[in-house]
Amino acid sequence: MSPMMATLVGLLGVPLLALLIGFRPVSGRRVSRFATAYDVALTSDTRPVLSAYLTRTSRWRAGGGAIGWLAAGAFTSGSGGYHYFLGVAGYLVGALVAEVGASLPVPEGRRRASLVVRRPSDRLTWGARWGPVLIVATLGVHTWIYQAWSTAGRDRVPPSQVMLALAGIGLATAVLWLSCRFVVLRARPVRAADLGAADDAIRASSLRAIGGASLALMCMAALDVMWAMTLALDAPEPANWIMNALGFAMVPAALYSWFGIRARPRPAPKAPA
C-alpha cells in the first residue's frame, strides 16, 4: 500500500468506522447491558426511554468525533496527534449537543419538583473532580524542571505554546464543570420509581461521557507541550528521567479518563448527624 493510500485509509476509515458503530440500531441486548450497569429495572416505560437515549447520544457523539477527525486532516499538517485531539474534541461537542434533548419528558398532570438536594460533587467521582488540578500540577512541575536548566535548545518551545496548552486545559475544565452542573441540576419532576431510576442512569451516563472526554483532552493538551519540552532539553539525571516519566504518565491518564472515569447513578445516602 502506497503512503498516500495509507493516509487516505487512515483519514476516512476511522470516521467511517465511528459512524457505522454510532449509527447502528440499538439492540435489546445493549439496552439490557446499560440497564444492568446502572441498576435500572427494564419495564415497558423505561425500555423505550433508554433506547431513545442511547440512539440519540451514540449518533451525536459518533458524528462529532468523525467531524473532528476529518477536520484534523483538512486543516492541520497531518500529524496523527491532532487527529486524536480533534476527534476527542468533536466527540465532546457531540456529547454536549446530545444533552439538549436527553432529559425525560415532563409527566402529565400537576407538576411537582423533587425535593432531593442535588450537587455535582455528589455525582462525580474523585478523579473527575480533581483530575484538572492534577493535570495542571503535573504540567507545572514539568515546566519548572524545563525552565531550571538553561540550554540553547530551550528556546525551541515558545512560552505561547505553554500558555495555549493551559488555555485549552482551562476551557476543557470549564466545559466539564459547567456541563456537569447543567446535567445534575436539570429539572427533575417527581416520576414513578422506574422512570426516576432511568433518569438517574441517563444523567450518570452523560456525566461519564462528558467527564471522560474533557479529562482526556486535558491530558492530550498537556502531553503535547510536555513532549516538546522533553525533546528540546537534554537535562541531566534525574531531571531528564522525571520529565520523561511525567510526560509518559499523561498517556495512561488519558486512557483512564476515557475508559475508567465513572459517575455515581445516585448519590450515596448521608448518615444523619
Side-chain angles (χ1 to χ4, degrees):
M1 181 182 294
S2 65
M4 181 177 295
M5 181 61 67
T7 301
L8 185 62
V9 171
L11 178 62
L12 299 179
V14 173
L16 179 60
L17 179 61
L19 291 175
L20 289 175
I21 295 175
F23 279 78
R24 76 184 190 277
V26 175
S27 64
R29 180 178 298 180
R30 185 180 175 192
V31 175
S32 298
R33 287 199 304 265
F34 182 91
T36 301
Y38 290 99
D39 193 22
V40 179
L42 284 179
T43 65
S44 58
D45 292 328
T46 59
R47 186 179 292 275
V49 167
L50 296 181
S51 179
Y53 167 78
L54 292 174
T55 299
R56 176 181 177 83
T57 55
S58 296
R59 292 177 178 179
W60 276 106
R61 294 170 188 174
I67 292 174
W69 184 280
L70 292 174
F75 300 109
T76 67
S77 59
S79 172
Y82 287 109
H83 284 82
Y84 292 109
F85 184 85
L86 291 183
V88 175
Y91 174 94
L92 177 58
V93 172
L96 294 175
V97 173
E99 287 308 308
V100 175
S103 59
L104 271 66
V106 177
E108 297 180 357
R110 185 178 179 181
R111 297 187 61 176
R112 296 178 298 160
S114 174
L115 298 180
V116 177
V117 177
R118 291 170 290 153
R119 295 175 297 186
S121 59
D122 294 335
R123 291 297 191 99
L124 298 177
T125 59
W126 186 90
R129 285 185 286 134
W130 293 101
V133 177
L134 294 177
I135 294 170
V136 171
T138 303
L139 178 59
V141 172
H142 195 281
T143 304
W144 178 82
I145 296 175
Y146 175 75
Q147 293 291 338
W149 298 99
S150 178
T151 65
R154 187 178 63 181
D155 295 333
R156 285 187 288 173
V157 180
S160 59
Q161 187 173 355
V162 181
M163 297 304 296
L164 184 62
L166 288 174
I169 294 174
L171 178 60
T173 302
V175 169
L176 170 61
W177 287 345
L178 291 176
S179 59
C180 288
R181 182 176 179 84
F182 166 77
V183 171
V184 172
L185 300 182
R186 189 165 54 204
R188 184 186 177 183
V190 174
R191 298 185 177 90
D194 57 346
L195 287 177
D199 182 68
D200 285 330
I202 287 174
R203 293 173 194 259
S205 176
S206 298
L207 291 175
R208 177 186 178 185
I210 294 173
S214 299
L215 288 171
L217 277 177
M218 298 179 209
C219 293
M220 295 169 73
L223 175 61
D224 180 64
V225 67
M226 291 167 71
W227 184 247
M229 291 180 188
T230 302
L231 293 179
L233 179 63
D234 186 17
E237 301 298 346
N240 189 55
W241 181 87
I242 294 174
M243 291 180 69
N244 278 281
L246 292 176
F248 283 114
M250 288 295 104
V251 177
L255 294 175
Y256 173 77
S257 299
W258 189 262
F259 296 104
I261 286 294
R262 295 290 186 270
R264 302 183 184 95
R266 286 170 290 278
K270 294 181 173 58

